[in-house]
Amino acid sequence: ILNVEQSPQSLHVQEGDSTNFTCSFPSSNFYALHWYRWETAKSPEALFVMTLNGDEKKKGRISATLNTKEGYSYLYIKGSQPEDSATYLCALWYDMRFGAGTRLTVKP
Amino acid sequence: GAGVSQTPSNKVTEKGKYVELRCDPISGHTALYWYRQSLGQGPEFLIYFQGTGAADDSGLPNDRFFAVRPEGSVSTLKIQRTERGDSAVYLCASSIDWGDEQYFGPGTRLTVT
């Protein structure tokens, strides 16, 4: 993997469903991975900065894991709510490369 | 406290004109970043400042793009001889230091006609 790739591109879930999506990145020369949430008409908002292999971070119903050896991070949302609807971006640090994002829509 | 602000919020200009986009970061943040975001894509890195100096300008697409941060706070992104392909949302972000979580501004939507 040469670029930062996110999958799926978009996701529609029902309120209350749990969901997860993936950020894949080149595993060589890893420094840090950032996750951001970007709601429509707002600025991207930082969720997590992850640096260590095996890191797990949690903020409310959202959590993330990191595997630097195989080059991926998962973002999990437990019990999705309509207000979770946003585009979720990951960014590989050192060279500030963003993925294209996963657009999540939570239907009430 | 005040977040990152960007002005103008929207800018429409004619092809060939010069534009300046301004970013006012959070006070005390030494790192400042400029990104460009096109529809359906993630933010594309343009340039990063540490204090007053451009620590990494490898993302600037060509020499029509230039950015300054003369006093280590406000930054201006300057685009000469604008082209239609420059149309995008230009995002600015700041962080306490390089690598820390970034705080983004609302962006400037540039449209070149």
Side-chain angles (χ1 to χ4, degrees):
Chain A
I1 294 173
L2 298 178
N3 290 313
V4 179
E5 296 174 359
Q6 292 188 248
S7 61
Q9 279 189 323
S10 66
L11 196 53
H12 290 75
V13 302
Q14 287 295 135
E15 182 176 356
D17 287 350
S18 293
T19 188
N20 66 83
F21 23 93
T22 306
C23 173
S24 303
F25 52 87
S27 54
S28 59
N29 298 321
F30 179 84
Y31 183 87
L33 188 85
H34 293 208
W35 279 101
Y36 292 87
R37 173 170 59 198
W38 195 355
E39 295 179 64
T40 303
K42 294 188 177 180
S43 309
E45 172 197 354
L47 289 172
F48 305 113
V49 175
M50 309 186 77
T51 55
L52 297 174
N53 185 43
D55 249 358
E56 286 191 39
K57 297 211 171 178
K58 188 175 180 182
K59 186 183 282 191
R61 293 179 292 99
I62 304 177
S63 59
T65 61
L66 178 68
N67 183 323
T68 61
K69 294 186 178 178
E70 296 182 34
Y72 64 83
S73 176
Y74 293 140
L75 191 80
Y76 300 90
I77 303 178
K78 186 177 177 182
S80 304
Q81 299 296 309
E83 58 265 31
D84 296 329
S85 297
T87 296
Y88 291 82
L89 294 163
C90 64
L92 183 65
W93 220 246
Y94 200 94
D95 48 5
M96 292 157 276
R97 248 185 299 169
F98 278 80
T102 293
R103 187 176 186 87
L104 175 67
T105 304
V106 182
K107 301 174 187 174
Chain B
V4 178
S5 61
Q6 292 186 246
T7 53
S9 54
N10 277 286
K11 176 73 178 176
V12 181
T13 191
E14 291 180 351
K15 180 174 177 293
K17 298 288 188 184
Y18 167 84
V19 296
E20 288 190 354
L21 311 179
R22 176 187 166 111
C23 172
D24 206 333
I26 292 173
S27 178
H29 282 195
T30 62
L32 184 146
Y33 315 80
W34 283 100
Y35 297 91
R36 176 169 70 175
Q37 198 250 344
S38 302
L39 197 62
Q41 304 293 319
E44 173 195 4
F45 168 73
L46 296 177
I47 186 169
Y48 147 64
F49 287 89
Q50 184 65 38
T52 60
D56 183 350
D57 63 359
S58 61
L60 294 177
N62 52 59
D63 61 8
R64 294 186 298 104
F65 288 75
F66 189 71
V68 295
R69 194 186 184 198
E71 296 177 3
S73 55
V74 171
S75 176
T76 305
L77 178 66
K78 308 180 182 197
I79 310 174
Q80 298 177 323
R81 305 183 304 280
T82 51
E83 299 178 357
R84 292 196 181 89
D86 299 335
S87 297
V89 174
Y90 288 81
L91 290 166
C92 173
S94 69
S95 62
I96 293 172
D97 204 346
W98 182 84
D100 292 331
E101 66 180 23
Q102 296 176 88
Y103 295 80
F104 281 84
T108 293
R109 181 174 296 279
L110 175 67
T111 304
V112 182
T113 62

